[in-house]
């Protein structure tokens, strides 16, 4: 059985792979997605940086809903991968709790492991919204299932 650190690393690696794959698909598409879908794509990047900051890791200062192009999102993922790798260099962080202020200004304390699970679930939710829009436009979205990432070796 895998330990908690390994599971969280795998989930975050999957999350970044899926985000990058989706951003590349949007970037390479023949027609642009509606503004709302582009905002959601940027939001996925922005929230990664926000959570890294909340977790006490070095992070880029970025809005929660930044206006980013798909190409910018692809570029950001490379930096996010480095930032998350650095975060996991201190595995004891996973056992801790994270104090933060949410976007409404409320103060909270959450288990760090819960925050990491939230990031993966949050990303899946929003990727589904973008994929639904792509299908409505007649585009074929990328295959982003976790099992696909493991089959292709993107997540070990």
């Amino acid at each position: 059985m895998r330990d908690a650190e390994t599971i969280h690393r795998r989930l975050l690696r999957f999350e970044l792979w899926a985000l990058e794959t989706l951003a590349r698909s949007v970037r390479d598409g023949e027609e642009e997605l509606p503004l709302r879908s582009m905002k959601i794509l940027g939001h996925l990047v922005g929230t990664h940086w926000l959570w890294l900051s909340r977790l006490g890791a070095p992070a880029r200062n970025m809005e929660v809903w930044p206006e980013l192009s798909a190409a910018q999102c692809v570029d950001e993922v490379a930096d996010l991968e480095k930032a998350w790798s650095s975060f996991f260099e201190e595995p004891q962080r996973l056992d801790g709790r994270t104090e933060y202020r949410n976007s409404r200004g409320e103060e909270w304390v959450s288990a760090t492991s819960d925050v990491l699970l939230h990031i993966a679930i949050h990303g899946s939710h929003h990727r589904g919204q973008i994929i639904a829009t792509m299908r409505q436009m007649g585009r074929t979205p990328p295959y982003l299932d976790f099992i696909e990432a493991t089959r292709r070796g993107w997540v070990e």
Side-chain angles (χ1 to χ4, degrees):
M1 187 157 141
R2 298 179 191 263
D3 65 5
E5 178 191 352
T6 302
I7 291 168
H8 287 296
R9 280 180 185 265
R10 294 178 81 219
L11 278 174
L12 263 293
R13 178 65 193 124
F14 164 69
E15 169 62 23
L16 293 173
W17 167 81
L19 175 55
E20 180 182 22
T21 301
L22 180 59
R24 284 181 187 281
S25 177
V26 170
R27 181 196 66 191
D28 298 342
E30 294 177 14
E31 57 184 304
E32 286 207 19
L33 292 180
L35 181 59
R36 176 70 181 146
S37 291
M38 292 306 299
K39 289 287 284 183
I40 293 170
L41 190 62
H43 173 66
L44 290 171
V45 171
T47 55
H48 270 275
W49 287 119
L50 174 66
W51 280 112
L52 277 161
S53 174
R54 288 175 176 173
L55 291 166
R60 182 166 291 141
N61 186 15
M62 184 177 285
E63 295 178 20
V64 176
W65 288 93
E67 293 190 24
L68 299 174
S69 68
Q72 288 171 311
C73 290
V74 170
D75 292 342
E76 287 291 329
V77 170
D79 291 338
L80 285 167
E81 286 176 342
K82 292 174 194 164
W84 281 114
S85 289
S86 293
F87 172 82
F88 282 107
E89 286 177 6
E90 298 178 39
Q92 71 278 8
R93 288 181 172 189
L94 295 178
D95 298 327
R97 300 188 66 70
T98 302
E99 296 179 23
Y100 60 95
R101 185 180 305 269
N102 70 10
S103 58
R104 288 179 273 212
E106 302 165 333
E107 293 188 21
W108 293 95
V109 178
S110 296
T112 301
S113 59
D114 289 345
V115 169
L116 297 174
L117 288 172
H118 166 76
I119 293 166
I121 293 166
H122 176 259
S124 182
H125 165 75
H126 283 310
R127 285 191 306 276
Q129 291 175 315
I130 297 168
I131 286 170
T133 300
M134 292 174 85
R135 285 193 176 118
Q136 289 170 352
M137 295 174 67
R139 288 177 59 180
T140 302
Y143 183 41
L144 300 178
D145 284 354
F146 178 80
I147 198 68
E148 177 70 2
T150 62
R151 288 180 197 147
R152 304 288 179 196
W154 291 103
V155 175
E156 296 176 357

